[in-house]
Amino acid sequence: MTVAPSAKGWVEFGQFRTWYRVTGPLDTERPALVAVHGGPGSTHDYLLNLSVLADAGWPVVHYDQLGNGGSTHLPDRGADFWTPELFLAELNNLLARLDIAKNYVLFGQSWGGMLVARHAANQPEGLRGLVIANSPASYPLWRQEMEVLRARLPSGVDATLRRHEAAGTTDSREYYEAMRVFYDRHVCRIVPWPKDYLASFMETSNDPTVYSVMNGPSEFHVVGSLKDWSVVDCLPDIDVPTLVISGRHDEATPAAVRPFHDHIPDVRWEIFEDSSHVPNLEEPERFHAVLVEFLKSLDGR
C-alpha cells in the first residue's frame, strides 16, 4: 500500500537537483522520517510503502539520490565524483532545504544504512532516531559474506557467474539469469518481484553509472570504489536510539550486520524470519508494526 504524496518537487543541490516526495504535513511535532535508499544508484520506489507511516502520524520524505530517478543524471562522471561525501552533502542539503533539520528520523536501507550511520555519527542536533535496515557495516565484511553465500548456490551457478566476471561479460543474458538465482534467494524472495522493487531495479539498469562505479555489476561482485569502505569506526559516536533490521535470508548476513549491534550504544536488532533484503515488501505488516513501535518510543525526545 502507498499513500498519495502531499508534495513533490526538486531542491537545488549546487548546480544539480535532488528530487523529493513528501507524504503528510512537515509542520507537525513528530519528526519527519527521511527514507535513504540503497544502491548506491537505486531509487526511492521500492521504499514507497513507508508512506503509510504518514497515516500513523509521521510525515515521510522520499528522495532519489543524485545520478538516478528524478534527480540529476551525470553519466560521464567517474569515481572521483561519486563518493560517500557527495551523498552525505546531498542529504544535509535536503534536510536544510525542506526545513526539517531540527526534527527528523533517518531510515537508511542497504547502502543507505551505511550513509545514515556516518551522518548520525556527527551527532546532528535535530536527529531523533535512526533505522538501519539490511545494511552491512563495512564492504570488506560484505564481500567476505558474499563468498559464503555464493558457495551455497546450486551447482554450476557460481561457476557461470565467475566465468562472466572474469571475461567482463556481466551484461550477458546468461549472467543475468544466474544472478537472478542469487537475487531470488537473498535480495527479494517474492516471485514475481513486486512492482515497486522492479521499478527501482529497472531505474538502476536504465542508468547504471552510480551503481557500476561505486559497487560493480551485481550485489555479490563488488569491485567498485566502495569495496573497502566501512563505517565501523564511527559507530560508537552515534548517540540516538537505533533500530537495526535484517532478514533471515538477507544478503546482509548477521556477520555483516553485527558491528551495528556491537558498537552503537543504544541499539535494538530485529530479524525478520521470512525476509531477505527487503522486509518492508516481504513482511509488510510486521515491518510496519515494528517501525511504528520504534517511532512511538521516540516521542518526547
Side-chain angles (χ1 to χ4, degrees):
M1 178 182 174
T2 300
V3 178
S6 49
K8 291 195 292 186
W10 291 268
V11 297
E12 299 298 317
F13 175 44
Q15 58 186 307
F16 313 120
R17 298 199 306 174
T18 300
W19 180 92
Y20 71 90
R21 176 193 197 275
V22 177
T23 312
L26 290 178
D27 57 351
T28 63
E29 289 187 9
R30 276 181 164 167
L33 182 137
V34 180
V36 183
H37 66 70
S42 186
T43 62
H44 76 285
D45 301 86
Y46 73 100
L47 296 176
L48 268 174
N49 66 354
L50 290 175
S51 63
V52 301
L53 291 167
D55 286 344
W58 289 272
V60 179
V61 176
H62 289 87
Y63 74 103
D64 287 334
Q65 293 163 26
L66 192 66
N68 288 86
S71 297
T72 305
H73 287 235
L74 297 157
D76 298 326
R77 300 298 178 100
D80 59 334
F81 179 80
W82 301 111
T83 64
E85 290 71 27
L86 171 73
F87 293 103
L88 288 167
E90 181 184 33
L91 175 58
N92 286 332
N93 180 72
L94 180 76
L95 296 171
R97 295 276 185 162
L98 295 182
D99 196 24
I100 56 175
K102 293 181 179 179
N103 191 29
Y104 65 101
V105 173
L106 288 179
F107 176 98
Q109 200 274 340
S110 197
W111 135 266
M114 297 181 73
L115 205 61
V116 302
R118 183 65 76 180
H119 173 95
N122 292 325
Q123 300 182 359
E125 184 178 349
L127 182 64
R128 304 291 176 240
L130 191 65
V131 183
I132 298 172
N134 315 98
S135 175
S138 83
Y139 277 98
L141 274 176
W142 176 273
R143 291 189 287 114
Q144 173 185 303
E145 289 301 290
M146 288 303 105
E147 293 299 314
V148 175
L149 296 179
R150 289 176 69 140
R152 295 173 181 168
L153 293 173
S155 178
V157 173
D158 192 37
T160 297
L161 293 169
R162 292 185 189 277
R163 185 174 73 251
H164 285 288
E165 289 161 2
T169 52
T170 55
D171 58 350
S172 69
R173 183 67 189 179
E174 188 179 36
Y175 187 83
Y176 172 79
E177 290 175 352
M179 181 186 78
R180 275 296 300 262
V181 177
F182 181 97
Y183 279 46
D184 288 346
R185 285 184 170 208
H186 301 298
V187 183
C188 182
R189 293 169 69 85
I190 304 171
V191 180
W193 284 346
K195 64 179 181 63
D196 289 347
Y197 178 78
L198 188 59
S200 285
F201 185 85
M202 293 306 296
E203 286 275 8
T204 307
S205 300
N206 289 338
D207 186 352
T209 303
V210 182
Y211 188 78
S212 61
V213 168
M214 297 185 78
N215 186 84
S218 67
E219 295 290 275
F220 45 79
H221 188 50
V222 180
V223 292
S225 59
L226 287 179
K227 64 185 177 69
D228 296 319
W229 193 55
S230 172
V231 296
V232 173
D233 63 315
C234 74
L235 298 181
D237 296 327
I238 295 174
D239 65 349
V240 293
T242 301
L243 171 65
V244 174
I245 289 171
S246 64
R248 180 63 65 192
H249 310 282
D250 206 330
E251 60 180 347
T253 65
V257 173
R258 183 164 298 281
F260 293 120
H261 179 265
D262 290 349
H263 297 296
I264 296 175
D266 183 359
V267 66
R268 165 190 163 196
W269 186 2
E270 193 81 27
I271 297 176
F272 287 74
E273 295 295 334
D274 297 319
S275 293
S276 56
H277 200 52
V278 282
N280 65 300
L281 298 174
E282 294 166 296
E283 296 181 67
E285 291 183 3
R286 178 164 176 250
F287 176 87
H288 180 75
V290 167
L291 211 52
V292 166
E293 179 188 4
F294 174 71
L295 290 172
K296 283 182 177 179
S297 75
L298 304 178
D299 284 351
R301 280 185 58 86

